[in-house]
Amino acid sequence: MLGLALAANAAGPVALAHAQEYTVYAAGDIAWCDHPDPAWSGAAATAKVVETGLAASPHAAVLLLGDITYPRGRLREFTECYHPTWGRFKERTWPSPGNHEYLTPGARGYFDYFGSAAGAGYYRIKLGSWQVYSLDSNLAPGPAAAQLAWLKQELAANPSHCILAYWHHPLYSSGGHGSIARMAGAWRSLHDAGAEIVLSGHDHDYERFAPQDAAGNRDARGIRQFVVGTGGAYATPFLLPLRNSEKRDNSRTGVLRLVLKEGAYEWAFLEAAYQGFPNGNAPDRGEGNCH
């Protein structure tokens, strides 16, 4: 995968990358499989954006933020609906599962399609100088406790100046599903380790928050969360904005591009399609430094 050496850990592969700068393209809520033709779907439009970016850089990867196929995450949905679009760059993709994947018992379609890249549902990779954690936000209490114990162990064993994590259900969201507290323990552990970024999906919109702690307090050494549920499925509305929500946009499908640098990062939302008012606000972009 990605032409990089691989090393195994308890929950999946670890990519050992040596580039000082690494680009990732991230989104969730992607392939709406009731669409009659994947080639003309929202997922096809966002896939073109990703494919263009990957062609420009050999040091680039794709992060999936769950709800990769709709409605039930069956293997057939992955092979016949997802694969003709985002599956074109499967070998450069690192997934995490969403709740729709688990509508198939055990998320078997997801695990069968991604194979070793899905690990045990959570895993660590290294992209450039960044430690990156893919977590499963769908787990029952027992497996969730095991995942959290694994995360704490990995964070202690692999200290890093720059840390990113991603999973499906956002701890903070102004969207219709709202904030979902089940990953608060993971957030606290990541915050204690000095993590910079958490990516999630679930709400079909784009939202960026100021750095926060696990109690929703603005914190200069907190974690900046992005909700990127814009991978191609239908858009959903916002409710009342949460405090510390800095940018909200449900007028576009597209992907978040993150450039992971040595001690810093840049972000830009790359538009695939726009359904907003003429002359609306430009897509979000910005930059930050690691703690």
Side-chain angles (χ1 to χ4, degrees), residues 12-242:
V14 179
L16 305 176
H18 303 292
Q20 292 300 305
E21 185 172 292
Y22 216 100
T23 301
V24 298
Y25 297 89
D29 308 277
I30 296 169
W32 183 254
C33 296
D34 287 339
H35 193 284
D37 186 348
W40 299 99
S41 65
T46 53
K48 290 179 182 177
V49 174
V50 176
E51 218 162 25
T52 299
L54 294 177
S57 174
H59 296 298
V62 179
L63 308 181
L64 301 184
L65 311 181
D67 281 5
I68 298 161
T69 77
Y70 293 84
R72 302 187 64 84
R74 301 180 181 95
L75 180 59
R76 181 175 178 180
E77 293 173 16
F78 280 97
T79 58
E80 297 183 8
C81 171
Y82 174 85
H83 195 76
T85 59
W86 284 59
R88 297 197 300 265
F89 33 85
K90 181 182 177 182
E91 74 282 356
R92 300 175 71 172
T93 296
W94 299 97
S96 63
N99 53 289
H100 278 265
E101 276 71 65
Y102 276 94
L103 292 178
T104 292
R108 287 313 334 156
Y110 167 85
F111 285 104
D112 288 348
Y113 178 77
F114 286 108
S116 62
Y122 50 93
Y123 53 89
R124 175 179 60 86
I125 59 178
K126 192 169 189 293
L127 301 179
S129 60
W130 286 63
Q131 295 287 351
V132 178
Y133 295 86
S134 175
L135 302 179
D136 188 339
S137 62
N138 304 275
L139 299 176
Q147 175 179 249
L148 182 57
W150 170 86
L151 176 63
K152 292 178 178 179
Q153 179 179 340
E154 290 292 309
L155 289 168
N158 301 280
S160 178
H161 186 44
C162 299
I163 300 170
L164 180 153
Y166 60 105
W167 59 76
H168 183 61
H169 297 86
L171 184 61
Y172 305 109
S173 175
S174 304
H177 290 298
S179 303
I180 298 174
R182 67 183 64 172
M183 297 298 282
W187 189 290
R188 282 191 290 271
S189 295
L190 289 161
H191 182 269
D192 290 345
E196 306 300 327
I197 298 170
V198 162
L199 308 177
S200 294
H202 200 46
D203 278 316
H204 297 190
D205 55 45
Y206 173 82
E207 187 168 19
R208 170 175 53 81
F209 285 86
Q212 301 177 93
D213 63 17
N217 300 310
R218 188 182 287 257
D219 181 353
R221 296 186 61 80
I223 302 171
R224 186 185 301 280
Q225 182 195 263
F226 297 84
V227 178
V228 197
T230 55
Y234 56 90
T236 54
F238 287 106
L239 304 178
L240 291 177
L242 296 185

